[in-house]
Amino acid sequence: MNQIITFGEVLMRISPLGNRKFVQSNSVEFYFGGTEVNVGISIANFGGNVKHISCISNDFIGDTAISYLNKFDLDTSAIVRSGRPLGVYFLEVGAVMRASSISYNRSHSSFSEIVPSMVNWEKSLENGKWFHWTGITPALNKGSKDTLLEGLKLARKQGMQISADPTYRSGLWKYGEDAKEVLSELINYSTIFIGGINEINELLGTDFSYSNEDFEEASKQLMEKFPSIEKVFDKIRTSINSSWHKIRARMWNGKEFKETEDLDITHIVDRIGTGDAFAAGLIHGLQNFDDFKAMQFASAACAIKHTYLGDVNYANEKDVMTILDGNTTGRLNR
């Protein structure tokens, strides 16, 4: 009971070892991830009961991916299989002033085949308490958008909390539908908005600045247009260079504005999946703490993810609470 539901593509990531470029390397390492499954695994690591819904290749790579999800106790019973290959992306990890680079190979992946008839939403959501979605899934193709929409309608009908991370990426929307219209329709079924000024401006057609005053006003206008939205949370990243970032967060919950202190990340190990770690920390936090502490927990979860290789945040609740308690020295535990 009380499952958290995530729906989206599972990807394999392939990278040269260390901070090398592909041209200078003959060895690679791989990880499994994907925006929504990253969120699901992180919540499971915090002790949550998570079901991930997807379409995965019906081969040994797909078997390995499902085995990886099962390792974190994710419920994979609603995952369907396809004859197409698992989606892949290639990552060159940057350092200092050199940015990281990503190339995707997912246009004809197993997930690209998904259509509403492949997911039994009534059965999949029967124990659901919370549904999380991101703007990546509806951007990929019409089938994934239609499937997500069907799930959101039922989740909303059943009174589930629904968190939306719109994650607008213009380069993904290639199948003929208008991103703003699609995302607006999906947000109408959502209750928690995880996004900042860029996402709000895209949805409202506004030009708010990044100031706290504009964020508060933008959040109010967002809630006016989408009355189902109860709270807005924004993660703010300040990049000094590729290896040194600062993270903080702010919120408008319909009653008050609050902002966290900066968390300094001076030696980034891996920044992929850090936004997903924030979303997972927020979802977990909102079920266990007040809004401000939930946001603090999310920021700390995001920060610690920068210390793990791969797409997934391996931290548990105790690890994150240690940061919240002010222990950021990284001293050896004995």
Side-chain angles (χ1 to χ4, degrees):
M1 297 296 292
N2 296 327
Q3 277 190 322
I4 291 121
I5 309 297
T6 53
F7 170 69
E9 184 167 24
V10 178
L11 293 168
M12 175 184 278
R13 160 180 154 185
I14 299 176
S15 289
L17 299 176
N19 296 88
R20 296 178 178 87
K21 296 178 69 65
F22 275 96
V23 72
Q24 67 179 129
S25 181
N26 293 314
S27 299
V28 296
E29 52 192 358
F30 73 89
Y31 304 91
F32 291 106
T35 300
E36 298 84 2
V37 77
N38 294 342
V39 173
I41 290 175
S42 183
I43 293 171
N45 286 335
F46 297 145
N49 179 8
V50 181
K51 175 185 286 184
H52 186 68
I53 302 169
S54 190
C55 183
I56 287 178
S57 58
N58 191 21
D59 57 14
F60 68 90
I61 297 296
D63 292 342
T64 307
I66 289 177
S67 176
Y68 180 76
L69 304 190
N70 289 155
K71 182 166 68 174
F72 300 96
D73 292 327
L74 263 64
D75 181 346
T76 57
S77 62
I79 289 179
V80 294
R81 309 298 291 270
S82 163
R84 291 186 182 181
L86 196 74
V88 175
Y89 77 95
F90 302 91
L91 170 68
E92 292 180 337
V93 179
V96 195
M97 73 286 294
R98 175 166 60 87
S100 298
S101 298
I102 290 179
S103 177
Y104 289 99
N105 188 348
R106 68 198 301 182
S107 297
H108 302 285
S109 69
S110 48
F111 191 77
S112 72
E113 274 197 325
I114 201 162
V115 292
S117 61
M118 297 171 71
V119 178
N120 183 341
W121 281 113
E122 287 202 9
K123 181 174 176 59
S124 298
L125 299 182
E126 60 186 2
N127 294 321
K129 175 185 181 182
W130 193 297
F131 191 116
H132 178 71
W133 67 275
T134 81
I136 299 296
T137 294
L140 296 175
N141 54 69
K142 189 176 187 303
S144 57
K145 183 269 289 185
D146 291 343
T147 308
L148 172 60
L149 179 59
E150 189 171 290
L152 288 177
K153 286 179 177 179
L154 183 58
R156 185 69 174 151
K157 184 179 179 181
Q158 293 181 183
M160 294 173 61
Q161 283 278 30
I162 300 173
S163 48
D165 180 357
T167 323
Y168 175 70
R169 293 182 186 169
S170 58
L172 289 177
W173 292 84
K174 297 179 180 179
Y175 64 96
E177 296 206 23
D178 182 78
K180 181 179 176 181
E181 291 181 6
V182 171
L183 291 173
S184 294
E185 181 179 17
L186 298 173
I187 288 168
N188 269 317
Y189 295 97
S190 306
T191 57
I192 306 295
F193 187 90
I194 307 172
I197 291 297
N198 289 340
E199 290 77 17
I200 295 175
N201 281 339
E202 186 66 35
L203 288 164
L204 300 183
T206 49
D207 59 352
F208 287 108
S209 74
Y210 294 97
S211 71
N212 287 342
E213 293 76 17
D214 269 21
F215 169 75
E216 183 176 329
E217 180 58 31
S219 298
K220 290 176 181 177
Q221 290 192 24
L222 182 77
M223 290 177 171
E224 284 182 20
K225 181 168 182 179
F226 303 102
S228 63
I229 297 295
E230 301 167 359
K231 302 171 185 179
V232 180
F233 295 90
D234 178 23
K235 171 182 63 65
I236 302 170
R237 178 186 299 275
T238 303
S239 298
I240 311 303
N241 57 44
S242 289
S243 306
W244 179 9
H245 292 182
K246 297 182 178 184
I247 296 293
R248 72 181 190 277
R250 58 188 176 181
M251 71 175 199
W252 172 255
N253 64 0
K255 299 176 182 177
E256 60 181 350
F257 169 87
K258 284 194 173 182
E259 184 177 32
T260 68
E261 298 290 329
D262 273 327
L263 286 169
D264 218 11
I265 309 159
T266 56
H267 298 82
I268 293 174
V269 174
D270 194 330
R271 68 158 289 183
I272 299 297
T274 53
D276 306 328
F278 179 86
L282 186 62
I283 292 167
H284 177 76
L286 288 173
Q287 295 176 82
N288 293 277
F289 315 124
D290 62 41
D291 291 347
F292 182 63
K293 187 171 181 180
M295 183 172 62
Q296 289 180 306
F297 186 91
S299 296
C302 173
I304 200 172
K305 165 60 191 77
H306 289 76
T307 70
Y308 293 110
L309 278 173
D311 292 37
V312 170
N313 186 11
Y314 296 98
N316 58 33
E317 186 183 69
K318 181 179 178 182
D319 296 329
V320 177
M321 292 303 294
T322 297
I323 295 175
L324 279 188
D325 290 338
N327 185 359
T328 57
T329 63
R331 291 184 65 181
L332 181 65
N333 290 324
R334 295 184 184 275

